[in-house]
Structure formats: C-alpha cells, structure tokens
Amino acid sequence: MTTEMTPGVIWTGVVDWSVRMFHSYAVPDGVTYNSYLIKDEHLTLVDTVKNHFEAEFIHKLQQITDIKKIEYLISLHAEPDHAGCVASIYNLNPNVTIVCSVPAKEILILYNPGLAKAKFMTVTNDSVLKIGKNELKFRMTQMQHWPESMGCYMGDILFSSDFFGQHLASTERYVDDFDIFRVIMRMEDYVANIMNPFRANVAKTVAFYQSLPINFIFPAHGLCFKHENCKVALEVYQKFVDQTIKVKKIVILFSSMYGSTAKVSQIIAQGVLSAGYEPVLLNADTVEKAEISYQLFKSKAVLIGSATLNNQMMPNIDGAINYAGTLRIINGLKFGVYGGAGWSNTGVEQIVGRMNEFGAENVGTCSWILAADEQVMQQAFELGRKVALSVE
Ligand SMILES: Cc1cc2nc3c(=O)[nH]c(=O)nc-3n(C[C@H](O)[C@H](O)[C@H](O)COP(=O)(O)O)c2cc1C
C-alpha cells in the first residue's frame, strides 16, 4: 500500500511489524521505514528503506511510477535502515542524481562501492533544489545522531529524517488516526535512546524548525504529523532541549538472586511514595535496557538495588548503567544504592563508583548481609524518602 499524504507527496515506505530488537534497542511496537515520492516536474524520492524490504519497496514504487523516471533521490541519512535501497534505485536507474550531505556521499559509497560511479549532488544549508513548482531546502543535522544526517523542507512540509521519529508499526500514517499518547511515548523513548547524547546540537535544529512555517512533518520512522499536531512533535523536542521533559517519577532498578534485594525494593518504593513521587520499579533481569533508559530519562532520580555476585554488582545492573550512562541519561541524576551480600557488600560500592563516573550524585546507601531485617527495612524506607526529597 502507498498513501497520498498531501497532494503530490506519496508515502512509499514499509512497515517492519515483527522486529523487536534494533541495534540492541528493544522496539516492542515494531518499526516503520518511511520513504516519500514527490510528484513534481522532476520526480523526487526522499529516502529509501532497509534493504531487507527491497522487494516490497521496489514493487510499491513500480505500482505508481517507472523507477527510471525518478530524477532525484534525496538521501537524508546514510544509515542502512533509510539508505538500504539507494543502490537498488541506482541499479534500476543509473541516471538518478543522489542528493545528500558531503559526508553522506562517502558513507553511501563505503556501504555500496557500486555507487562510486553514480551522479551525486552534495548540498549544504544554503542549497536550493528546484524540482518544478516546488523547491527543496536543506538543514544539516550532523552529529545529532550520525555525522551526515540532514533534514529537508519544501514549502510547509518538513522531511525531518530521524527527528520526530518513533518506533511504531502501523497501518495508519497520520497521528490523527492513531493513539497520540503512544506516539508521544515512543517519540520520547526514541529521543532517550538515540538523540540524548546530542542535546546541545539538537537544540539549534529545534530552534530552526520552530522558525519554519511547518504544516506537515514527515519523519523517517513512525507516524506523521499535520496541521495542529505538528506542535505536538515540536513540543516533545522543545521539552527535551529545555530539559523539562522529566515527570514526578523515580526509578527503582534492581536485580536480586534470592529475593532480599527485591523485597527491599518494595519498601524503598514506599519511601519514595511518602515524599510524593511515583516509584517506577524495574527488574533489570526482565526489563530491556532501552525501556530502563527511557524510564530514567523521564525520572528525576534513581535508586539502584543489587545483590553482590562474584564481588561485583549484578550483570544486568552493570549493563543497564553502562547503556544509560553512555547515552548521558545518568549524568546529573540524584541516586541511592542498596543491596544484599553474603559476606562483603562490594556490589553496592561498585555501583556508587560507576554512577559517580557517569556524573550522578550519591544521596545515600543501605546494605545488609543475607537477610534484610526490620532495621534494614526502616533504613531502606528512609533512603527512598531521602532520595525523593533530594530532588528539587
Ligand atoms: C553465584 C553467587 C556468587 C556470590 N558472590 C558473592 C560475593 O562475591 N560476595 C558476597 O558477599 N556475596 C556473594 N554471594 C551471596 C549473595 O550476594 C547473597 O546471597 C545475597 O544475600 C543475595 O541477595 P538477594 O537475596 O537479593 O539475591 C553470591 C551468591 C551467589 C549465588
């Protein structure tokens, strides 16, 4: 199926319904790879799809046009989920001009050496491409994900590439026909897991996009936005760059072997609640790292509970801290640590050190040997409360 998004712009993407893990990023609602065909005097395709879907993609395009008639292929981002069929289009139509940023050209050729012979047009913020009645302008968004990404805009339409994207598989194309809260949640999850390390650069692009007279946003993943709903997408990114995206929640992340650390987590949650914050309990052994990162991204503080295993913190706590830490989600968080051990509480000490390295601020710890008695429970309650009260 293709969809006419607005007169002259046709969605030619594919829906990846069954994917659940995407570059180690859990995507429980699947993924969509969006591509758009602009019908103007010079037929123009904006992005392709992941190579696994080449057959479906080419079939779709052939239903609506002769691929040889495509004059420009705009490759906003050279990552294979969007540029995976650039070579396929070139092979069917060697006369096509591939329009991309300067660094994208090199990446596209590295991925597909056959493209070395293709016609390229590299563009910058000052470039204008006339395709007939319409003209395309470009906005470099380099190092706001990858080093070569860009957006492009045509009148009141913004083709935003990964900006405003969400990992969602859907038969609907516009947010208007979908659950908008789910879209917002998935967009925030995308920001946490992909965009967060690049906040300072993203802020400049958001300011620029806010200044455009946008009436349609066509991202490279997920649902699209039109009219008033464009504000919804812009607002998520504005809150992200303004650092006002957090809500009154505190994550309690734990991993336990024989249950004492798990049991204490419940008491910690009571302490958090007593201070007026909502506890979000996440078992690191059953919740995906991407979900943990999203919850930390939305939270004002974190309490981490871990048993000691072979003198270390539990492995899934280690993995979650590293994943969120390198995404810079831990930086600036207030935190408490708790946990049980058999003879020496090195796991708790190790977590404090790791969290400090990632720029978080320790508020306190609570530890015990083998079983948590009533005194430990009281200390745990106080720790939960203290961490919550430490948040401004
Ligand atoms: C495989 C294994 C390795 C362990 N290694 C350590 C250790 O290095 N240091 C320690 O103090 N306790 C160690 N323990 C003991 C646990 O930390 C202890 O049972 C603790 O109470 C578990 O907390 P939990 O009830 O939350 O699982 C180990 C236990 C197991 C099963």
Side-chain angles (χ1 to χ4, degrees):
M1 275 278 289
T2 56
T3 308
E4 180 150 58
M5 301 300 293
T6 187
V9 179
I10 300 162
W11 178 84
T12 51
V14 298
V15 181
D16 193 349
W17 292 99
S18 60
V19 65
R20 290 293 177 268
M21 193 57 85
F22 188 30
H23 50 67
S24 223
Y25 172 8
V27 285
D29 292 329
V31 170
T32 307
Y33 313 106
N34 293 333
S35 158
Y36 305 92
L37 186 70
I38 308 172
K39 285 190 154 177
D40 203 334
E41 208 175 300
H42 305 282
L43 198 57
T44 299
L45 184 66
V46 179
D47 282 330
T48 67
V49 301
K50 199 172 179 177
N51 187 262
H52 302 49
F53 298 91
E54 181 191 33
E56 179 185 340
F57 178 60
I58 295 299
H59 173 76
K60 265 182 195 183
L61 282 173
Q62 279 169 340
Q63 298 295 302
I64 48 176
T65 186
D66 173 357
I67 289 176
K68 286 201 164 54
K69 289 187 177 158
I70 299 173
E71 291 187 52
Y72 295 109
L73 168 48
I74 317 285
S75 182
L76 296 176
H77 178 22
E79 198 177 343
D81 53 335
H82 308 295
C85 292
V86 169
S88 324
I89 299 290
Y90 167 71
N91 290 338
L92 291 166
N93 175 9
N95 285 325
V96 73
T97 298
I98 301 167
V99 181
C100 62
S101 68
V102 174
K105 177 179 172 183
E106 196 181 332
I107 296 172
L108 287 170
I109 293 172
L110 278 170
Y111 270 128
N112 311 281
L115 289 178
K117 291 189 202 129
K119 270 191 279 176
F120 275 91
M121 178 190 290
T122 55
V123 290
T124 65
N125 282 342
D126 300 323
S127 305
V128 179
L129 175 63
K130 269 199 87 62
I131 59 169
K133 279 203 309 296
N134 295 293
E135 55 183 30
L136 297 177
K137 295 181 178 172
F138 305 89
R139 173 74 186 181
M140 300 302 116
T141 56
Q142 289 153 9
M143 280 336 289
Q144 291 162 46
H145 178 28
W146 273 34
E148 36 49 71
S149 318
M150 65 179 188
C152 92
Y153 48 105
M154 177 180 92
D156 60 359
I157 301 173
L158 173 64
F159 298 94
S160 57
S161 186
D162 279 332
F163 265 75
F164 312 117
Q166 339 91 44
H167 283 324
L168 274 170
S170 163
T171 46
E172 303 299 343
R173 301 278 67 89
Y174 277 115
V175 167
D176 311 53
D177 306 313
F178 201 79
D179 172 3
I180 195 155
F181 296 107
R182 190 151 201 86
V183 172
I184 292 171
M185 194 271 268
R186 285 278 160 241
M187 198 189 308
E188 290 179 342
D189 168 78
Y190 193 93
V191 171
N193 280 281
I194 302 288
M195 299 283 184
N196 196 59
F198 314 109
R199 186 166 42 79
N201 287 343
V202 169
K204 293 176 201 152
T205 304
V206 172
F208 178 74
Y209 287 161
Q210 290 278 24
S211 75
L212 294 178
I214 295 172
N215 216 6
F216 296 91
I217 298 177
F218 296 155
H221 290 296
L223 280 293
C224 297
F225 305 86
K226 63 181 171 193
H227 314 314
E228 280 301 296
N229 277 337
C230 292
K231 287 187 191 144
V232 174
L234 284 160
E235 196 187 349
V236 168
Y237 272 65
Q238 193 65 56
K239 281 186 173 172
F240 161 53
V241 298
D242 291 346
Q243 294 182 268
T244 55
I245 203 147
K246 289 184 183 292
V247 293
K248 224 176 166 199
K249 288 184 179 180
I250 290 182
V251 166
I252 300 170
L253 176 68
F254 65 93
S255 173
S256 180
M257 289 184 282
Y258 287 112
S260 75
T261 308
K263 212 181 324 175
V264 170
S265 304
Q266 297 289 129
I267 306 298
I268 295 257
Q270 295 304 311
V272 166
L273 262 175
S274 76
Y277 280 79
E278 187 183 328
V280 180
L281 280 111
L282 305 172
N283 184 338
D285 298 324
T286 53
V287 179
E288 293 289 352
K289 294 185 297 297
E291 166 73 7
I292 294 168
S293 291
Y294 164 67
Q295 295 292 354
L296 288 172
F297 175 73
K298 292 289 287 179
S299 291
K300 301 227 173 189
V302 59
L303 286 126
I304 303 182
S306 175
T308 292
L309 174 80
N310 303 330
N311 288 321
Q312 310 286 311
M313 68 178 96
M314 293 288 278
N316 287 328
I317 292 287
D318 200 358
I321 292 176
N322 273 319
Y323 190 80
T326 51
L327 283 168
R328 297 193 199 163
I329 290 171
I330 284 173
N331 185 37
L333 281 182
K334 299 272 176 60
F335 75 99
V337 187
Y338 60 99
W343 48 95
S344 169
N345 252 299
T346 43
V348 167
E349 288 164 30
Q350 201 193 20
I351 293 170
V352 172
R354 187 72 56 76
M355 291 293 284
N356 284 336
E357 280 168 30
F358 280 123
E361 191 184 322
N362 188 214
V363 174
T365 61
C366 166
S367 55
W368 61 92
I369 295 297
L370 295 174
D373 60 14
E374 191 45 44
Q375 198 185 343
V376 170
M377 294 295 185
Q378 191 52 41
Q379 286 168 3
F381 180 91
E382 293 305 333
L383 179 63
R385 186 173 167 81
K386 192 174 164 193
V387 168
L389 291 174
S390 75
V391 175
E392 300 86 50

